[in-house]
Amino acid sequence: MDGRGRGGESFVAVRRMSNGLGRGSAYHSTPPEVVTGSAAWLGRGLSCVCVQIRDSDARPSFDLTPMQEECLDRLQSRLDVPYDSSIPEHQEALLALWHASFPEEELQSLISDQWKEMGWQGKDPTTDFRGGGFISLENLLYFARNFPKSFQDLLSKKEGNRAVWEYPFAVAGVNITFMLIQMLDLEAYKPRTLVGAAFLKFLEENESAFDLLYCITFKLMDRQWLSMRASYMDFNDVMKSTRRQLESELLREGIRHLQDLPSYKLLSL
């Protein structure tokens, strides 16, 4: 296994144990037998998923209501925050994620091999936040707190017949954050796509819309993974399929709330 995708991107492959996520076992085998690749998978590995925009491309823009502008500004301020281990709030969020994920297992240190149980690439999960920043940690924590059953099902890979080589849960979560930011064009002054404009209607209604959409997307991605009988070589294909399905649902007529999306029904509390 050389850890390269079809497009030549470097990424991580995690071997799934037959009994799911066993304590201290599923992500503890040493490389290169179980984990290969590098952090370059984050962001760059999604280059084939996200549309490449050229300065010369003519794209429409959509006028925003004052409330939408305020909501977008607040969300964009979250996108600009990198993870900083010197900030107590960031450390507390990381510890909270561990406790929500493994409530019966004490974390020995913020830098520990235990983090590999969650699907981080090494003993220091903060190195994996480069692709999504602090908001990617907030997304995971929101998921764990608001949909604990779905979170635990995905963390433990409980559902379906899975490949021997599985996607790493936590790193996949950071990639989902990155993909949604690109898909919704959230770094633009105002939306330049129909799906971006549609999302702002949900954001105006619910300031946690991005976090909620993240949960929906993670569950949808896993469903696509199972339906495609995917293995680690197929991760980018699964992400592209997930993005297409999500865009289709967001633009569907009659969708007034994120809870109306067909994929919302995949989530369990």
Side-chain angles (χ1 to χ4, degrees):
M1 302 290 180
D2 64 1
R4 296 226 163 242
R6 292 192 175 107
E9 300 91 349
S10 178
F11 58 92
V12 176
V14 175
R15 188 174 183 179
R16 177 177 175 268
M17 311 308 286
S18 59
N19 61 346
L21 185 71
R23 272 297 152 272
S25 62
Y27 291 100
H28 272 288
S29 299
T30 56
E33 180 185 357
V34 174
V35 181
T36 61
S38 72
W41 183 48
L42 294 173
R44 191 171 71 180
L46 289 180
S47 60
C48 66
V49 179
C50 305
V51 176
Q52 302 300 303
I53 304 302
R54 299 186 302 271
D55 291 338
S56 60
D57 287 345
R59 304 180 67 186
S61 63
F62 299 85
D63 292 330
L64 308 181
T65 67
M67 179 63 71
Q68 287 174 342
E69 287 185 0
E70 291 180 15
C71 291
L72 181 58
D73 284 344
R74 285 193 290 269
L75 178 55
Q76 288 177 332
S77 68
R78 293 175 63 193
L79 304 183
D80 292 335
V81 179
Y83 182 88
D84 186 342
S85 58
S86 69
I87 299 177
E89 178 189 356
H90 291 198
Q91 290 189 10
E92 291 168 6
L94 190 58
L95 285 171
L97 177 63
W98 175 268
H99 293 313
S101 302
F102 306 115
E104 298 180 0
E105 182 177 345
E106 182 180 355
L107 180 66
Q108 301 303 315
S109 171
L110 283 176
I111 298 179
S112 169
D113 282 330
Q114 289 174 282
W115 287 108
K116 297 176 186 177
E117 297 178 36
M118 196 182 298
W120 300 107
Q121 297 183 87
K123 62 177 63 176
D124 183 2
T126 65
T127 62
D128 289 332
F129 291 135
R130 287 192 295 267
F134 183 59
I135 193 173
S136 60
L137 172 55
E138 291 181 309
N139 289 157
L140 281 166
L141 191 54
Y142 180 93
F143 193 9
R145 287 172 168 171
N146 290 273
F147 301 97
K149 184 180 186 305
S150 286
F151 181 90
Q152 289 293 334
D153 286 349
L154 295 184
L155 175 63
S156 304
K157 305 294 196 303
K158 289 181 179 178
E159 297 181 354
N161 295 319
R162 296 181 176 273
V164 173
W165 290 86
E166 273 287 304
Y167 65 85
F169 171 79
V171 176
V174 176
N175 275 269
I176 289 172
T177 297
F178 180 87
M179 184 269 280
L180 286 175
I181 292 171
Q182 297 296 308
M183 184 189 82
L184 300 173
D185 201 18
L186 291 180
E187 295 177 316
Y189 174 71
K190 60 174 64 175
R192 297 173 294 178
T193 64
L194 287 172
V195 70
F199 171 73
L200 285 185
K201 296 178 182 178
F202 304 126
L203 186 64
E204 182 178 14
E205 174 196 68
N206 178 6
E207 199 154 351
S208 298
F210 184 79
D211 303 271
L212 178 56
L213 186 61
Y214 172 90
C215 302
I216 296 169
T217 305
F218 210 142
K219 190 66 176 177
L220 176 60
M221 185 277 290
D222 190 74
R223 177 61 62 90
Q224 297 288 82
W225 179 274
L226 292 173
S227 67
M228 294 171 65
R229 298 181 179 179
S231 185
Y232 76 101
M233 290 287 288
D234 304 308
F235 185 82
N236 279 331
D237 290 336
V238 172
M239 289 292 284
K240 286 191 288 186
S241 177
T242 300
R243 174 169 175 164
R244 287 193 297 268
Q245 178 64 28
L246 194 62
E247 288 176 331
S248 175
E249 292 189 15
L250 287 170
L251 296 177
R252 186 175 297 188
E253 289 187 11
I255 301 297
R256 297 185 177 181
H257 314 283
L258 286 177
Q259 290 84 347
D260 296 331
L261 297 177
S263 292
Y264 178 82
K265 298 180 178 64
L266 298 175
L267 290 170
S268 301
L269 298 176

